[in-house]
Amino acid sequence: MSFGDPNNPYGPPQGQQPGYAYPQQQPQQPGYGYPQAPPVQQQYGGGVPMAAMPGSVSAARVMLWVIVGLQVIGVAGCAFYAAAVNHAKHDSTLQDDSAFQRMADYGTGILVAMAVFALAWGVFAAVLAVKFNTGGNGVRVTTLVFGIITAVLGLYPFVIVGLVHTVLAILIACFVGGANGKAWFNRPRY
């Protein structure tokens, strides 16, 4: 087979001279001087650098923002309840109502303290959610502790309204404590 055969499928296209159709590649000569460095390997993510937050970690951050929203609703509810009880204590028609007296026994101070605690817990959740992009392993551990304490508080004192908090807190602890959470919070920062 030669390039002169017009029916040769391995020859140059018709109308071109050999050597002009494609650039010729020179064989590589062994280099002189210093040896080449080995390729750089990434430490996390199986050799793939983590450019975007993993889905499970992002979901944990969204769940923290949901907890912040629920805390704001709880603060408003406690404050409204405290104001209503304080106002109703002076109403003479409710002095004989035993159900109201049980409700008034809590006192406005305890209700205000619960509102302040709910506000502080919501601010803490917001700070953790904001720190997910830049935080290191300390944010991860703090979020794990936050999730565990929130799950316990959702079970005991606030059983009915705390059920949503408990589920969200368990999911947050699982997502942040998993392999993706560990890789995200321990990633190298440049």
Side-chain angles (χ1 to χ4, degrees):
M1 290 188 172
S2 70
F3 287 123
D5 185 13
N7 295 324
N8 182 3
Y10 301 109
Q14 294 291 330
Q16 292 187 1
Q17 297 293 324
Y20 291 105
Y22 300 102
Q24 298 293 320
Q25 294 184 0
Q26 299 295 326
Q28 295 272 333
Q29 296 288 331
Y32 294 103
Y34 295 107
Q36 277 189 324
V40 178
Q41 295 178 0
Q42 294 293 328
Q43 195 172 18
Y44 303 105
V48 178
M50 287 206 154
M53 187 181 297
S56 59
V57 178
S58 180
R61 182 171 63 172
V62 168
M63 289 177 201
L64 280 170
W65 285 115
V66 170
I67 286 178
V68 169
L70 291 173
Q71 292 299 110
V72 168
I73 292 171
V75 167
C78 282
F80 177 75
Y81 191 61
V85 167
N86 191 30
H87 184 274
K89 279 184 180 180
H90 305 294
D91 189 5
S92 61
T93 59
L94 294 175
Q95 297 298 327
D96 297 332
D97 189 8
S98 63
F100 174 74
Q101 289 304 319
R102 276 185 272 133
M103 182 174 58
D105 286 341
Y106 281 119
T108 54
I110 293 175
L111 293 171
V112 169
M114 286 175 57
V116 169
F117 177 74
L119 180 65
W121 203 251
V123 168
F124 187 45
V127 168
L128 287 175
V130 167
K131 290 288 189 178
F132 264 45
N133 280 338
T134 58
N137 198 39
V139 173
R140 177 178 167 261
V141 171
T142 306
T143 306
L144 278 168
V145 171
F146 174 84
I148 292 167
I149 291 173
T150 301
V152 170
L153 287 176
L155 285 177
Y156 175 60
F158 310 107
V159 176
I160 296 172
V161 295
L163 185 61
V164 175
H165 278 77
T166 302
V167 171
L168 289 174
I170 290 172
L171 288 173
I172 288 169
C174 289
F175 289 160
V176 171
N180 284 340
K182 184 176 182 179
W184 174 256
F185 287 108
N186 288 328
R187 73 192 185 282
R189 289 167 184 80
Y190 302 107

